[in-house]
Amino acid sequence: MHQLTTRRDERPLLTAVPSAGDAALLAEVAELRARNEQLGRALATRAVIDQARGMVMVLAPCSSERAWDLLVGVSQRCNTKLRDVAAALVATTRDETLPEPIQRELRRELRRLHAADRE
């Protein structure tokens, strides 16, 4: 009877079956890739939010913290994600119209901010 594989040939076949350690490593790689994608999206979103915050600081004028609070307030009252409110505000620099609900709430928040400053 002839041997079909040599000892050297058997080794790759044995390592082709994932061990428990390999499965854990693959799970960790998948988790790290997902986290990396999430962080990439967060960085892109953060840039737009920071641009919108700067716009509010110029419009109001106010501190960065107050601009953040104003944007969060608009987001909550419109039931719209903060990143979407920020993107809509930044889009106005490209001659896009601010959606009416966001426009309305932004006016309200700016009035509240100015009223608080007068107190």
Side-chain angles (χ1 to χ4, degrees), residues 38-48:
Q38 181 183 16
L39 288 172
R41 284 191 303 272
L43 282 174
T45 298
R46 186 62 184 207
V48 172

Side-chain angles (χ1 to χ4, degrees), residues 63-80:
S63 70
S64 179
E65 293 78 21
R66 290 185 87 177
W68 173 265
D69 292 341
L70 185 142
L71 289 170
V72 168
V74 170
S75 170
Q76 290 174 345
R77 285 177 184 75
C78 290
N79 197 26
T80 304

